[in-house]
């Protein structure tokens, strides 16, 4: 039985698509047959980060409308044998997504033997975001350590708890908190919320903390999920998060300021 996981947030620009690409890739690298779906109808960015934009022939809406089969629309990742991408449409309206159509696609993915389906949600609480979270078994709520992002994430948690299919059935969506763009030095200076602050506000179990890292932007521009960069702090942090998502007990890293050598401090001062 496939596990459906939505990657969501209330605010744009917090790293949902980066997270969706990293988590889906991480699961696939662990041997799990995984599909990642772009629910951001009209914009479509997942295919850029996954470096498959030139291979898009059919999309999510084509499948829902019966204009293509799911097998025709799924794009197999070139780096991970177990990973497949279902891109969004750039030319349709978000209302093209229907509960019946999304459910049909998810059920077919289950029939095809997928173990995980990652739903990359658009920001906010509009129709596309609701469609992405409605069928979720689990949710990864992505937040930056700033008040506006945390407040908006709290709103999303409320929707998961009240308007998802599981909520309608009297069940709970398993919620995970992922904090992105975290800078322990700024936290120490009081310029950014700390992990404990965000956890206390959202009352959600911490899945991972992704440090502010240049490798994230570099990977996105290159069309490579950052989790492939196993030497970067962000790549390591995402790998840890995937391990926790699959049930492993992994200690959290990158929560405290790095100890810098004299050379590093002088170099930074002169830069």
């Amino acid at each position: 039985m496939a596990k459906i996981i939505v990657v969501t947030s209330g605010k744009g620009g917090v790293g949902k698509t980066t997270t969706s690409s990293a988590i889906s890739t991480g699961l696939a690298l662990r041997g799990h047959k995984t599909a990642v779906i772009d629910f951001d109808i009209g914009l479509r960015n997942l295919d850029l980060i996954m470096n498959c934009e030139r291979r898009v022939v059919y999309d999510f809406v084509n499948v829902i409308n019966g204009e293509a089969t799911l097998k025709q629309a799924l794009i197999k990742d070139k780096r991970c044998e177990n990973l497949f991408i279902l891109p969004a449409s750039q030319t349709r309206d978000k209302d093209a997504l229907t509960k019946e159509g999304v459910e049909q696609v998810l059920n077919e993915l289950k029939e095809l033997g997928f173990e995980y389906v990652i739903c990359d949600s658009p920001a906010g609480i509009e129709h596309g975001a609701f469609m992405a979270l409605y069928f979720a078994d689990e949710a990864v709520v992505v937040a930056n350590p700033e008040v506006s992002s945390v407040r908006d994430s709290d709103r999303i948690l409320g929707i998961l708890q009240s308007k998802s299919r599981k909520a309608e059935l009297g069940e709970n969506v398993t919620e995970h908190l992922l904090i992105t763009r975290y800078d322990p030095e700024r936290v120490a200076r009081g310029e950014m919320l700390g992990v404990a602050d965000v956890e206390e506000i959202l009352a959600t179990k911490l899945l991972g903390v992704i440090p502010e890292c240049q490798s994230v932007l570099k990977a996105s521009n290159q069309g490579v999920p950052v989790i492939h960069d196993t030497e970067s702090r962000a790549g390591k942090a995402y790998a840890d998060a995937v391990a926790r998502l699959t049930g492993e007990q992994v200690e959290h890293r990158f929560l405290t300021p790095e100890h810098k050598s004299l050379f590093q401090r002088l170099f930074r001062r002169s830069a």
Side-chain angles (χ1 to χ4, degrees):
M1 179 65 72
K3 185 175 289 186
I4 300 169
I5 302 175
V6 62
V7 177
T8 184
S9 76
K11 186 178 180 183
V14 299
K16 285 185 302 300
T17 300
T18 294
T19 296
S20 295
S21 66
I23 287 178
S24 58
T25 298
L27 290 168
L29 289 171
R30 284 172 162 260
H32 301 289
K33 189 175 181 182
T34 304
V36 57
I37 305 176
D38 190 347
F39 275 78
D40 203 354
I41 307 300
L43 291 178
R44 196 171 86 189
N45 289 313
L46 181 65
D47 57 311
L48 292 172
I49 290 183
M50 304 298 288
N51 196 25
C52 64
E53 70 275 11
R54 295 183 181 180
R55 299 167 60 200
V56 176
V57 178
Y58 297 109
D59 57 52
F60 193 9
V61 175
N62 290 140
V63 178
I64 288 176
N65 290 343
E67 298 159 353
T69 66
L70 180 58
K71 287 185 177 180
Q72 285 177 308
L74 283 172
I75 301 171
K76 186 173 182 178
D77 188 77
K78 290 185 176 181
R79 301 179 189 87
C80 299
E81 183 179 353
N82 296 308
L83 181 59
F84 294 79
I85 302 100
L86 182 57
S89 170
Q90 283 185 306
T91 59
R92 307 294 181 97
D93 188 84
K94 296 182 189 296
D95 291 334
L97 297 181
T98 62
K99 280 186 183 178
E100 296 76 18
V102 172
E103 184 174 26
Q104 178 185 341
V105 171
L106 295 175
N107 286 339
E108 192 169 347
L109 287 168
K110 293 176 183 178
E111 293 170 4
L112 291 173
F114 283 90
E115 298 173 69
Y116 288 94
V117 179
I118 307 301
C119 301
D120 181 26
S121 172
I125 55 174
E126 43 74 47
H127 182 72
F130 176 71
M131 287 292 103
L133 67 81
Y134 181 74
F135 294 99
D137 300 308
E138 301 188 21
V140 175
V141 179
V142 183
N144 290 159
E146 57 183 62
V147 173
S148 62
S149 176
V150 174
R151 181 190 63 184
D152 291 349
S153 294
D154 195 32
R155 179 75 188 279
I156 289 294
L157 288 168
I159 293 173
L160 284 164
Q161 294 160 3
S162 61
K163 294 187 177 181
S164 64
R165 182 169 66 172
K166 280 209 162 191
E168 292 175 354
L169 296 173
E171 302 174 7
N172 294 320
V173 175
T174 302
E175 299 163 351
H176 309 277
L177 170 63
L178 188 80
I179 302 175
T180 55
R181 304 196 67 177
Y182 193 76
D183 187 338
E185 292 185 0
R186 293 186 63 192
V187 172
R189 295 195 298 267
E191 299 172 1
M192 182 178 282
L193 295 175
V195 170
D197 300 321
V198 180
E199 285 186 285
E200 182 179 356
I201 295 169
L202 297 180
T204 304
K205 186 175 181 181
L206 184 65
L207 178 68
V209 176
I210 312 301
E212 182 75 79
C213 186
Q214 289 295 322
S215 61
V216 174
L217 179 60
K218 179 181 177 182
S220 296
N221 287 336
Q222 293 177 340
V224 180
V226 71
I227 198 169
H228 282 296
D229 186 354
T230 56
E231 297 302 314
S232 71
R233 292 182 301 144
K236 292 174 183 177
Y238 272 118
D240 289 350
V242 171
R244 295 186 196 101
L245 196 61
T246 58
E248 292 186 27
Q249 299 295 320
V250 181
E251 186 176 353
H252 290 279
R253 298 190 274 179
F254 314 114
L255 303 185
T256 56
E258 287 185 288
H259 174 73
K260 290 183 171 60
S261 67
L262 176 61
F263 175 79
Q264 288 174 312
R265 291 196 298 270
L266 290 173
F267 181 78
R268 181 173 180 177
R269 188 177 300 170
S270 62

